[in-house]
Amino acid sequence: MILQADYWTYIEGFFDWVANSGGIMVVISGIIAISWLGYERKRRGSFFKRKTDQEIEKPKHRMLTLLRIISFSGLIIGVLCVWAGVMGLILDIPPSFRYVDATENHANQFTCLYLIIIGIAMFFKPIKDLPLSSLFGILAGAVSTILFATLVPDTVIGPLISKYFKWICVAIFIIVACTVTILFKFYIKVFVLISKVLSFPPVALGIAIFAFTQGILLWGFGVSIPNLIQTI
């Protein structure tokens, strides 16, 4: 129990640190954007337009694999960025200690909104390469079936229902799993499209430059880009 308590303490401490480190998460998002730039540049064979398969020179496998791994880490980094942005807005947390000294002891809404948007994009960027909709469908079907089998009281289950109870559970699993999978695929297309646009090499380069600039300003000078523009 002591080890379990320490385990949860470390987890809570980590998420508290993420919520209080908006500036750092901005910089990390820039690193992910750089991986998008490198991966898409090598995969496409061009910075602006995609070349045909005959025109593309196959990139070094190790470099492409490394960039792919960094890009896939966006699934986790994206969740953390959204967490930092949402907690920053809800709890009014400033993005850095320097920001408190130089500007104000309040959240920077511009940074929080950026973290939420880019975090969602980072999460959904690798989704097109993963059978996530099917996994969500199976998970939803399993959870629904378990809840139905454990929560429905025996007084509700009559002799007829009890006879076919197993097949009812199977039907619930199939219906819920298929419904969630179809809905997830339909709604996820919008986010995947946004992620594709943001990972387009010129756009990814712009995001990286913005993220590094914003992060340096927040941690080095305690100001945000909009604050700096207003003072000019």
Side-chain angles (χ1 to χ4, degrees), residues 24-170:
I24 292 179
M25 299 310 299
V26 170
V27 174
I28 294 176
S29 72
I31 296 174
I32 299 296
I34 288 291
S35 75
W36 290 349
L37 171 63
Y39 177 73
E40 293 295 332
R41 166 67 179 80
K42 286 184 175 295
R43 188 176 67 87
R44 290 168 173 269
S46 174
F47 188 77
F48 289 101
K49 63 179 182 178
R50 185 168 186 170
K51 295 182 179 180
T52 62
D53 294 337
Q54 292 77 14
E55 294 176 321
I56 298 177
E57 296 181 2
K58 290 187 177 181
K60 293 182 179 180
H61 182 68
R62 290 181 180 179
M63 179 59 69
L64 193 62
T65 301
L66 176 61
L67 292 170
R68 189 181 182 88
I69 291 173
I70 297 174
S71 178
F72 268 81
S73 68
L75 283 167
I76 300 174
I77 302 300
V79 172
L80 297 178
C81 283
V82 172
W83 173 263
V86 171
M87 289 297 101
L89 288 176
I90 294 176
L91 302 179
D92 198 24
I93 303 173
S96 69
F97 295 111
R98 180 62 178 162
Y99 186 83
V100 175
D101 298 332
T103 305
E104 59 181 352
N105 189 18
H106 295 286
N108 180 258
Q109 295 183 356
F110 178 79
T111 300
C112 292
L113 292 176
Y114 165 79
L115 287 173
I116 294 172
I117 294 172
I118 200 66
I120 293 174
M122 283 192 291
F123 180 82
F124 283 100
K125 169 65 172 66
I127 292 302
K128 64 180 184 298
D129 299 322
L130 296 174
L132 200 62
S133 57
S134 300
L135 294 177
F136 268 98
I138 293 173
L139 179 62
V143 171
S144 300
T145 304
I146 292 172
L147 291 176
F148 175 78
T150 55
L151 297 181
V152 175
D154 295 336
T155 54
V156 177
I157 303 175
L160 182 62
I161 296 179
S162 177
K163 183 178 180 181
Y164 298 101
F165 186 76
K166 176 176 68 176
W167 297 109
I168 293 174
C169 290
V170 172

Side-chain angles (χ1 to χ4, degrees), residues 188-201:
I188 201 177
K189 287 182 179 178
V190 178
F191 296 105
V192 171
L193 178 60
I194 294 173
S195 298
K196 284 183 177 180
V197 172
L198 294 180
S199 63
F200 181 56

